[in-house]
Amino acid sequence: MNRNDTPQNDDERTEKPDREDPEIDGPAVGDPPGDPTDSDGSVSRRGFLEGVGIASLLGIGGASAVGDGLFQMDGLQTVDDPIGDYPYRDWEDLYREEWDWDSVARSTHSVNCTGSCSWNVYVKNGQVWREEQAGDYPRFDESLPDPNPRGCQKGACYTDYVNADQRIKHPLKRVGERGEGQWQRISWDEALTEIAEHVVDEVQDGRYDAISGFTPIPAMSPVSFASGSRLINLLGGVSHSFYDWYSDLPPGQPITWGTQTDNAESADWYNADYIIAWGSNINVTRIPDAKYFLEAAYEGTKRVGVFTDYSQTAIHTDEWISPDSGTDTALALGMARTIVDEELYDEAHLKEQTDMPLLVREDTGKFLRASDVPAVETDADRPEWMLLMVDADGRLREAPGSLGERDGQKDYSKSIDLDFDPRLDAERTVETTDGTVGVRTVWNELRDELAEYDPETVHEETEVGRETYQRVAREFAEAEKAKIIHGKGVNDWYHNDLGNRAIQLLVTLTGNLGEQGTGLDHYVGQEKIWTFHGWKTLSFPTGNVRGVPTTLWTYYHAGILDNTDPDTAAKIRESIDKGWMPVYPEEREDGSRPDPSTMFVWRGNYFNQAKGNVAVEEELWPKLDLVVDINFRMDSTAMYSDIVLPTASHYEKHDLSMTDMHSYVHPFTPAVEPLGESKTDWQIFRELAAKIQEVATERGVDPVQDRKFDRVIDLTTIHDDYVRDWSTDEADALAEDRAACEYILEHSEESNPADSDEQITFADTVEQPQRLLEAGDHWTSDIEEGEAYTPWKDYVQEKNPWPTVTGRQQYYIDHDWFLELGEELPTHKEGPTNTGGDYPMEYNTPHGRWSIHSTWRDSEKLLRLQRGEPVVYLHPEDAAERGIEDGDAVEVFNDLSTVELQAKIYPSSQRGTARMYFAWERFQFPDDTDFNSLVPMYMKPTQLVQYPEDTGEHLYFFPNYWGPTGVNSDVRVDVRKKGGDGE
Amino acid sequence: MNTDRNGEAADCSGEVSRDSEASTDEPPVAERLDAKRVDRQAAARGGVYALLAALFDEPDESTYRRIAAGDVDATCRDLLDATGLAVETPELTVEDDHETLCARFNDLFTVGYAEYEDRTDGSLDSQGPPVSLYETAYRPEASWNDVNLDLARAYDYFGLEVDQSARDNHDYLPYQLEFAGYLARREAESSADAARARLDLHDRHLHVVAGGLADRIDEEHGTGLYGELADFLDRFVTADQTALAERFEGGDGG
């Protein structure tokens, strides 16, 4: 039955009216009056065949009170004349007509796998039957392997989801407890009205900042991302970060390079002479790109793998190094020491491109600033941020491009080009406003730090052979073009920033940045969208974004302040009080802070993926009065929501797809109509906006002045504002999904460069994936014809200041908190102890082969390729000690929870690790636990800072650029056989 | 080639024409149906299938009131009496309130998540709700494509298509029931061809899903109306299939 009675656009499919109006009983007896029987008792043949008139014809209407509505065909409809002749002899007759596809549509998948692979989708009779890699990415460099085809086994069976039993086909409202699984179908109008009434209440009561919208990764489908974000933005609500929350963000990159992340596209791997895959399980998590890694071997490229286990990628490398888990930092710093001690470093690069020649005060640990030294004359506006070097003659010199002479974080009007030769090794005294002060270069500070990592220490810490790691360090330094592919594993640790910084140091020391075949490529998710400006203005039309670091927001409202160590709690409070990190709802004038009340989740599985899962369920979730999930399947978040709205699958909508693994843009197009009553994300939020406007207008509400921004929130025009093109003020311009796609392409430098007549339109992308034309300000190199994209050329080749305080790659951070914690330079530290309790094993949750996060975790086809249920991988000796055999049901447990799994004996593992490839859904565990149930809330205080503390040009909260990461690899657990006495 | 309206092929070429306009010697087809000339048993069976198709959907308020008032039960009995089939009548009544009945329907048939079949070997019913309304779920040996293609061909051949405004898969049980009802009504207005096609539909599809669904729902607790409905579906389909088989093949249609 179709209950869709919300407003439709003209070009939308026509929809049959409700079979029955819920408010009106059908006819009490027999057929509806006047139709289909005539007064002579005859029945319309057509109507009869379609199910109308049966009761009348059989004369049973008088005996019962069922109207014809119950008999009428509803799902099938006649296309030809039903009273025509359909001779039939046997089933073979049905197969005499030659098979041909009705249509083939181009689409892709919105699952944050980094793939962004273009597929052809084959349609017959309004149904998707199969998909196939499109295989038509244009080549831009004939010397590189063909980019085609792109796609993996998950994408090849997405049709299963499109046609799956578990598709949500109708709006559903919870009629039991959250998570209980009791649902009632409601009409779109009922659903949208209920949500709209609630939202209007919240906004009019000033609690607009209690309304949250969580959706990750714009690049994987920016229009769908923008759909809800646009509405949330217009409501004055809160948009959540995701890259940091998922610990995909490598904090070392904003710290050192002042950039969220910037990577070479995968084709550039082929240009390298030496590649270290550092925890990046390319053969599992980068399937469409792995060929560049594998085929590079044919060019003589040496490929080294750094993995704690003998992973699916390790087996294909030339050399495998296996540090103890959590010791990557020590290994990297040991390698750095080898490079430094053996003078294999790129001195020119260090002098020009890094903070190594900068002077640091020995009394305070702070950089020596021009404002500290009366003898230094400076023209800079902010002498306190003009940093100093010593030149070959021993004179103090300002470091060009320091923040003090720049206009903000990124200022290409300045240069770091040096007209003098700074000393790397300098140590002296300086007359300052505080008297005589000893100073020395960052380089010398670094050498002192690296001195700690002698071969014996590194071996003891990492268990990597003394000669082995030193040899690899030498080879890396001596290679003409060397590259590190950095995986997510390092990011999952509490000291992820230190790990990142140490590994980054290797490419910096060797000058492997800013040209093809070099760099540190960190690929975790499609975090960075090429068409940035178009996406941003579509998602946040007001320009005033109430962004929030999701780790902090989640843990704050889940009660971390009462469940963490006093120092961390104090630093969280200080960060919030100083305005370094925002938390919403914001504190009111009377000092109170309301709870969050409303949460919209779409394109993500927030509840399932939430670390601190027990606290999220017990503390945060009850605070939410309304949780709305927009989904095509009943995932864990949907299950724990109040209203679930059915959304179109990836083959049922218009959108765009991009990734930093390649430099193309290509589309989603609707191969088929959305299943059941489902609608696209854009449609859903647009219609919700219309309903909010309708409710607000009926109530006659007044606009609300935003507490933080200079704008009013006017709910009586919110739909008009939603569909209005704010750049041209054209009304109704963005009513349709495709128009939103065109908007993004039209308003992005990458697809519509300002200095060119060339423009990529949506139709172009449907024709063939299009290589983007330019790289906008969001990127650090140009897109060049005939070359794979490689970052950092703006700085390394063009000599623009890096967007850091020093204007250089910055390994020394003189923020008070970093100094206090001894982390001004990268250093190896033990993580927090007893996270989750005092247990002997580490808990590790890497990305798996047979799913993209929780998507495809419930795919029967893919479950058949594995064990079919949540599995923990155990080293044989760990298993034997516990009396566990392969296939046993076991419990992984710590102080927080107990999770039941099947044991898989995994000889490729190191001892002491309980490894569970995530992200199984809650309902796949027997006790409704979750892989995150074992993970407590914890976060690193240094990721709460602003730097500089007062102005924050370098490190400042910006969603997905800088904020505390949600980490989980420090967690301790043990394993016991289920039913055993392993306690 | 000509075919008469009873579906008997008029030649032996093996070709079957769907183009009624090609039969120039046929009289114009009447637009009104003469109730006296309708096969009442086939019409009633068509009514039962239509009723089943409607009931294997979440009941709206109106439908719920009719179920709760006993009207649906009475209608089903009346229809069943007219089918000529000896099928035990179901009790299509409810004690649940509307909300609970909806929750029961969705819990059984629509809310999908993985459930273990056997944790010792990891086998998992991963693809959805406890009781599927899709035939493919009961055909582990057949591919989704083959099952759906077969049905798509059938709907297409008889001039039907899935309503794209709220589309579902071709193997969706309510579609098959609507199709069975449509074929029965075609038979009722004198097309034996359609009866033959209905038998083939039973043999190839409907008996599989009806039997599978009845077996599967027996394993669930608290099925209420839907347990009764599933059992009735199985009984009715089996009886209709058997009757058609006897008529066309002299067998039981097994």
Side-chain angles (χ1 to χ4, degrees):
Chain A
M1 177 177 295
N2 181 353
R3 305 188 189 196
N4 186 349
D5 47 2
T6 51
Q8 299 287 312
N9 281 338
D10 294 342
D11 58 348
E12 286 183 19
R13 59 193 185 277
T14 57
E15 302 194 349
K16 295 172 68 174
D18 280 354
R19 190 172 61 206
E20 297 289 343
D21 184 333
E23 301 306 315
I24 304 170
D25 272 336
V29 175
D31 296 321
D35 177 45
T37 56
D38 278 348
S39 54
D40 63 359
S42 70
V43 174
S44 151
R45 291 189 65 224
R46 181 185 185 118
F48 174 73
L49 289 170
E50 292 176 345
V52 179
I54 296 172
S56 290
L57 187 137
L58 295 173
I60 63 171
S64 65
V66 178
D68 257 355
L70 281 178
F71 297 130
Q72 191 166 1
M73 285 168 64
D74 187 48
L76 296 179
Q77 60 188 16
T78 53
V79 281
D80 297 330
D81 182 0
I83 60 177
D85 202 3
Y86 295 97
Y88 174 88
R89 190 170 51 196
D90 63 35
W91 204 264
E92 284 185 12
D93 296 343
L94 277 47
Y95 283 81
R96 296 187 195 283
E97 191 177 326
E98 188 179 357
W99 177 266
D100 194 13
W101 299 110
D102 291 339
S103 60
V104 180
R106 185 188 291 279
S107 193
T108 182
H109 310 110
S110 173
V111 286
N112 192 29
C113 56
T114 71
S116 184
C117 308
S118 191
W119 291 77
N120 286 329
V121 179
Y122 293 81
V123 177
K124 179 74 173 177
N125 287 19
Q127 186 109 36
V128 171
W129 298 87
R130 62 185 288 263
E131 58 273 276
E132 181 178 85
Q133 293 148 318
D136 59 351
Y137 288 91
R139 293 183 78 162
F140 56 81
D141 182 350
E142 293 292 328
S143 70
L144 301 179
D146 192 321
N148 298 295
R150 291 185 67 85
C152 75
Q153 85 277 32
K154 278 87 71 179
C157 66
Y158 185 74
T159 295
D160 290 354
Y161 265 136
V162 179
N163 302 324
D165 289 13
Q166 72 264 41
R167 277 289 295 271
I168 297 169
K169 297 184 289 190
H170 309 278
L172 295 173
K173 181 181 179 182
R174 175 173 63 83
V175 293
E177 296 300 311
R178 281 179 182 158
E180 196 181 12
Q182 301 297 307
W183 299 93
Q184 182 176 21
R185 189 188 305 177
I186 55 177
S187 71
W188 272 107
D189 191 56
E190 289 169 324
L192 297 180
T193 300
E194 181 166 337
I195 298 165
E197 296 276 6
H198 172 85
V199 166
V200 173
D201 286 345
E202 290 299 295
V203 172
Q204 296 306 123
D205 289 346
R207 288 192 299 272
Y208 42 84
D209 59 352
I211 300 172
S212 278
F214 182 85
T215 193
I217 322 296
M220 68 187 193
S221 48
V223 170
S224 294
F225 179 101
S227 61
S229 302
R230 188 173 176 89
L231 180 61
I232 296 287
N233 185 244
L234 292 169
L235 290 171
V238 178
S239 278
H240 283 249
S241 68
F242 42 86
Y243 191 43
D244 42 352
W245 166 234
Y246 290 143
S247 74
D248 290 356
L249 170 74
Q253 298 215 9
I255 290 173
T256 306
W257 293 334
T259 303
Q260 177 196 32
T261 319
D262 205 357
N263 306 308
E265 60 184 304
S266 58
D268 187 53
W269 301 349
Y270 197 76
N271 291 322
D273 299 305
Y274 201 97
I275 303 176
I276 299 177
W278 201 305
S280 181
N281 199 359
I282 294 161
N283 287 356
V284 166
T285 59
R286 308 278 168 262
I287 290 173
D289 306 285
K291 64 184 167 198
Y292 295 113
F293 183 73
L294 298 171
E295 292 182 22
Y298 296 121
E299 292 288 298
T301 301
K302 179 165 182 177
R303 294 141 327 124
V304 175
V306 181
F307 299 101
T308 57
D309 64 333
Y310 191 44
S311 70
Q312 300 92 330
T313 301
I315 61 175
H316 291 290
T317 55
D318 300 301
E319 189 157 357
W320 168 47
I321 297 175
S322 179
D324 279 356
S325 57
T327 65
D328 304 84
T329 310
L331 177 63
L333 293 176
M335 292 171 68
R337 171 177 161 146
T338 300
I339 292 167
V340 171
D341 283 356
E342 299 184 15
E343 298 187 351
L344 300 172
Y345 52 85
D346 183 337
E347 184 174 334
H349 184 86
L350 294 178
K351 286 180 174 178
E352 179 187 83
Q353 295 285 324
T354 78
D355 62 348
M356 296 301 162
L358 296 179
L359 295 170
V360 174
R361 294 171 57 142
E362 292 187 74
D363 59 340
T364 61
K366 299 280 187 175
F367 284 117
L368 182 67
R369 290 144 158 88
S371 57
D372 291 341
V373 187
V376 172
E377 292 182 10
T378 179
D379 297 327
D381 292 339
R382 297 165 64 191
E384 71 276 19
W385 281 111
M386 287 308 293
L387 309 179
L388 302 177
M389 304 170 166
V390 180
D391 68 13
D393 300 326
R395 289 179 298 175
L396 291 176
R397 304 288 292 263
E398 287 182 309
S402 293
L403 181 63
E405 67 172 12
R406 303 203 315 261
D407 182 15
Q409 184 183 25
K410 194 167 184 177
D411 181 356
Y412 282 10
S413 71
K414 301 298 179 185
S415 173
I416 56 173
D417 200 10
L418 295 168
D419 58 2
F420 60 93
D421 182 23
R423 291 183 184 178
L424 280 180
D425 176 12
E427 200 159 343
R428 53 177 283 184
T429 59
V430 173
E431 293 305 317
T432 73
T433 52
D434 300 322
T436 303
V437 170
V439 296
R440 61 205 304 257
T441 56
V442 170
W443 177 249
N444 284 354
E445 292 283 322
L446 177 69
R447 294 193 70 143
D448 283 357
E449 175 64 30
L450 295 181
E452 303 292 323
Y453 302 92
D454 60 87
E456 196 57 43
T457 303
V458 171
H459 172 66
E460 199 170 294
E461 192 65 34
T462 67
E463 294 206 36
V464 176
R466 299 167 189 78
E467 293 303 319
T468 301
Y469 84 81
Q470 293 189 79
R471 179 173 46 75
V472 169
R474 283 183 208 109
E475 290 173 358
F476 185 82
E478 290 170 348
E480 188 175 340
K481 291 183 174 184
K483 181 190 279 291
I484 294 173
I485 302 172
H486 185 305
K488 175 179 160 64
V490 174
N491 295 357
D492 280 344
W493 295 85
Y494 179 82
H495 289 305
N496 51 11
D497 48 355
L498 296 173
N500 298 150
R501 293 163 75 193
I503 297 170
Q504 287 169 266
L505 183 60
L506 298 176
V507 295
T508 299
L509 286 172
T510 55
N512 274 301
L513 287 162
E515 63 176 326
Q516 268 72 25
T518 69
L520 184 144
D521 297 334
H522 170 280
Y523 310 100
V524 186
Q526 289 153 254
E527 89 293 341
K528 198 157 179 172
I529 182 169
W530 281 102
T531 53
F532 183 77
H533 185 76
W535 157 74
K536 187 176 77 170
T537 53
L538 183 69
S539 301
F540 311 108
T542 70
N544 299 312
V545 184
R546 206 167 245 113
V548 72
T550 299
T551 308
L552 180 59
W553 181 89
T554 300
Y555 292 173
Y556 183 90
H557 292 298
I560 192 174
L561 290 177
D562 300 324
N563 288 284
T564 189
D565 62 276
D567 184 56
T568 299
K571 282 189 159 54
I572 291 172
R573 288 196 182 92
E574 183 178 342
S575 175
I576 296 170
D577 290 346
K578 286 183 169 173
W580 292 350
M581 289 287 152
V583 173
Y584 295 106
E586 65 186 318
E587 193 173 285
R588 305 306 195 227
E589 285 183 358
D590 64 2
S592 67
R593 187 191 293 273
D595 288 334
S597 69
T598 313
M599 192 162 193
F600 292 91
V601 182
W602 71 107
R603 301 165 66 256
N605 195 354
Y606 171 84
F607 190 72
N608 198 58
Q609 317 296 68
K611 283 150 271 204
N613 204 264
V614 173
V616 167
E617 181 176 0
E618 294 179 356
E619 298 292 331
L620 167 60
W621 225 241
K623 292 177 179 176
L624 297 168
D625 299 326
L626 178 65
V627 180
V628 179
D629 189 73
I630 292 95
N631 217 317
F632 61 79
R633 67 190 181 99
M634 189 62 79
D635 67 12
S636 299
T637 307
M639 186 67 86
Y640 280 79
S641 298
D642 302 311
I643 292 177
V644 181
L645 302 177
T647 192
S649 75
H650 308 160
Y651 295 165
E652 298 166 342
K653 64 180 181 181
H654 288 101
D655 212 323
L656 298 166
S657 176
M658 287 157 270
T659 176
D660 52 4
M661 303 299 299
H662 64 56
S663 48
Y664 304 97
V665 56
H666 56 95
F668 300 70
T669 64
V672 290
E673 292 291 334
L675 191 71
E677 291 187 285
S678 54
K679 300 170 184 282
T680 68
D681 295 333
W682 190 261
Q683 276 182 290
I684 290 170
F685 282 104
R686 186 196 70 211
E687 290 177 12
L688 178 57
K691 182 58 71 176
I692 292 170
Q693 179 165 316
E694 178 187 322
V695 170
T697 304
E698 283 173 3
R699 290 196 199 175
V701 302
D702 293 324
V704 174
Q705 177 61 47
D706 192 297
R707 268 186 297 278
K708 182 174 181 178
F709 302 116
D710 182 22
R711 66 174 289 248
V712 293
I713 304 163
D714 187 352
L715 299 183
T716 64
T717 62
I718 198 162
H719 175 258
D720 301 340
D721 293 336
Y722 189 95
V723 296
R724 177 164 58 90
D725 181 339
W726 288 50
S727 68
T728 62
D729 213 28
E730 181 186 350
D732 296 324
L734 298 175
E736 297 303 319
D737 303 51
R738 181 165 173 152
C741 297
E742 296 282 17
Y743 176 93
I744 289 175
L745 292 170
E746 186 181 343
H747 291 86
S748 297
E749 180 70 9
E750 292 78 5
S751 44
N752 187 16
D755 60 355
S756 166
D757 292 335
E758 278 192 285
Q759 180 181 351
I760 297 171
T761 66
F762 191 80
D764 295 333
T765 68
V766 176
E767 183 73 23
Q768 186 179 20
Q770 298 290 313
R771 191 162 197 237
L772 292 150
L773 303 169
E774 301 276 354
D777 292 345
H778 198 50
W779 304 84
T780 61
S781 292
D782 292 331
I783 291 178
E784 297 166 276
E785 185 68 31
E787 295 279 8
Y789 176 81
T790 310
W792 315 123
K793 291 183 181 178
D794 287 359
Y795 313 128
V796 176
Q797 295 189 14
E798 302 298 324
K799 305 191 191 309
N800 294 300
W802 291 74
T804 61
V805 159
T806 59
R808 287 154 176 77
Q809 299 175 62
Q810 187 167 335
Y811 285 89
Y812 192 92
I813 303 296
D814 70 346
H815 189 285
D816 285 341
W817 287 15
F818 281 66
L819 293 167
E820 175 190 333
L821 294 166
E823 297 183 15
E824 61 274 20
L825 284 168
T827 184
H828 176 59
K829 297 172 85 171
E830 295 292 332
T833 55
N834 297 339
T835 306
D838 182 12
Y839 296 95
M841 300 187 78
E842 291 165 351
Y843 180 55
N844 189 7
T845 56
H847 288 88
R849 179 189 287 274
W850 297 289
S851 73
I852 300 301
H853 312 118
S854 60
T855 310
W856 286 291
R857 261 298 177 218
D858 56 350
S859 162
E860 189 166 298
K861 203 164 280 174
L862 293 177
L863 285 167
R864 283 175 177 161
L865 301 176
Q866 45 181 314
R867 299 253 173 141
E869 63 176 343
V871 171
V872 59
Y873 288 57
L874 299 172
H875 187 277
E877 292 174 28
D878 290 332
E881 271 182 7
R882 292 161 175 79
I884 295 169
E885 295 182 357
D886 193 87
D888 279 351
V890 299
E891 293 174 335
V892 180
F893 63 97
N894 63 13
D895 287 351
L896 281 84
S897 188
T898 299
V899 178
E900 188 178 327
L901 302 151
Q902 183 191 141
K904 176 183 169 71
I905 305 304
Y906 183 52
S908 299
S909 176
Q910 290 179 344
R911 286 207 61 180
T913 300
R915 178 182 278 103
M916 172 163 47
Y917 288 93
F918 84 135
W920 301 91
E921 297 279 5
R922 290 174 73 94
F923 45 73
Q924 293 179 291
F925 294 92
D927 301 321
D928 202 26
T929 49
D930 180 72
F931 67 98
N932 275 323
S933 298
L934 298 161
V935 179
M937 300 183 286
Y938 68 113
M939 71 171 93
K940 187 168 181 182
T942 49
Q943 294 170 16
L944 295 162
V945 305
Q946 181 170 285
Y947 180 61
E949 295 188 23
D950 50 351
T951 51
E953 286 89 346
H954 180 172
L955 298 175
Y956 52 96
F957 169 69
F958 187 80
N960 312 309
Y961 167 72
W962 178 246
T965 51
V967 288
N968 59 322
S969 280
D970 309 272
V971 173
R972 309 298 297 181
V973 298
D974 202 352
V975 184
R976 64 188 167 216
K977 192 169 178 177
K978 182 174 167 56
D981 57 357
E983 202 70 61
Chain B
M1 187 208 72
N2 294 323
T3 55
D4 67 21
R5 301 219 47 248
N6 291 321
E8 302 295 330
D11 67 15
C12 301
S13 67
E15 294 296 320
V16 179
S17 169
R18 292 177 52 197
D19 184 0
S20 59
E21 290 179 8
S23 305
T24 54
D25 55 348
E26 271 196 287
V29 179
E31 293 187 359
R32 309 301 299 183
L33 195 63
D34 181 353
K36 298 186 189 67
R37 298 184 57 185
V38 167
D39 178 337
R40 291 177 57 81
Q41 288 190 352
R45 293 182 200 184
V48 171
Y49 283 120
L51 184 63
L52 284 166
L55 294 177
F56 275 105
D57 194 359
E58 194 202 89
D60 61 14
E61 184 65 37
S62 171
T63 303
Y64 171 76
R65 279 201 289 267
R66 293 172 180 188
I67 296 171
D71 298 341
V72 167
D73 184 73
T75 298
C76 185
R77 289 170 191 275
D78 290 346
L79 284 170
L80 206 48
D81 279 349
T83 61
L85 296 172
V87 177
E88 185 185 343
T89 53
E91 295 284 342
L92 299 183
T93 56
V94 291
E95 294 179 0
D96 294 335
D97 59 24
H98 184 212
E99 200 172 76
T100 304
L101 187 64
C102 290
R104 200 182 294 284
F105 178 87
N106 287 310
D107 184 43
L108 283 169
F109 298 122
T110 74
V111 177
Y113 47 85
E115 286 195 333
Y116 294 98
E117 289 177 354
D118 183 352
R119 281 186 58 79
T120 59
D121 68 2
S123 62
L124 196 68
D125 175 17
S126 63
Q127 286 287 352
V131 184
S132 179
L133 293 179
Y134 298 89
E135 180 188 338
T136 317
Y138 306 104
R139 300 282 297 270
E141 81 292 355
S143 78
W144 184 95
N145 275 17
D146 288 346
V147 172
N148 277 272
L149 170 62
D150 208 46
L151 287 160
R153 288 259 188 190
Y155 304 154
D156 192 42
Y157 186 84
F158 283 96
L160 300 175
E161 69 175 12
V162 171
D163 177 5
Q164 293 296 304
S165 70
R167 71 172 187 88
D168 214 311
N169 301 338
H170 289 86
D171 67 336
Y172 185 44
L173 174 63
Y175 288 177
Q176 293 198 38
L177 293 170
E178 287 192 8
F179 185 49
Y182 173 79
L183 293 175
R185 293 190 295 276
R186 292 199 70 84
E187 180 197 0
E189 57 113 36
S190 78
S191 169
D193 275 8
R196 175 76 230 190
R198 192 164 92 252
L199 174 59
D200 288 345
L201 174 71
H202 280 310
D203 291 348
R204 298 176 72 90
H205 297 284
L206 195 49
H207 93 277
V208 178
V209 62
L213 188 145
D215 290 345
R216 186 69 191 85
I217 209 166
D218 276 350
E219 299 168 16
E220 296 294 317
H221 300 290
T223 56
L225 171 71
Y226 296 106
E228 185 76 10
L229 197 62
D231 285 344
F232 172 58
L233 169 70
D234 191 29
R235 293 197 300 274
F236 185 77
V237 165
T238 300
D240 188 35
Q241 181 186 23
T242 303
L244 288 167
E246 286 174 352
R247 176 173 156 198
F248 289 105
E249 298 167 350
D252 61 5

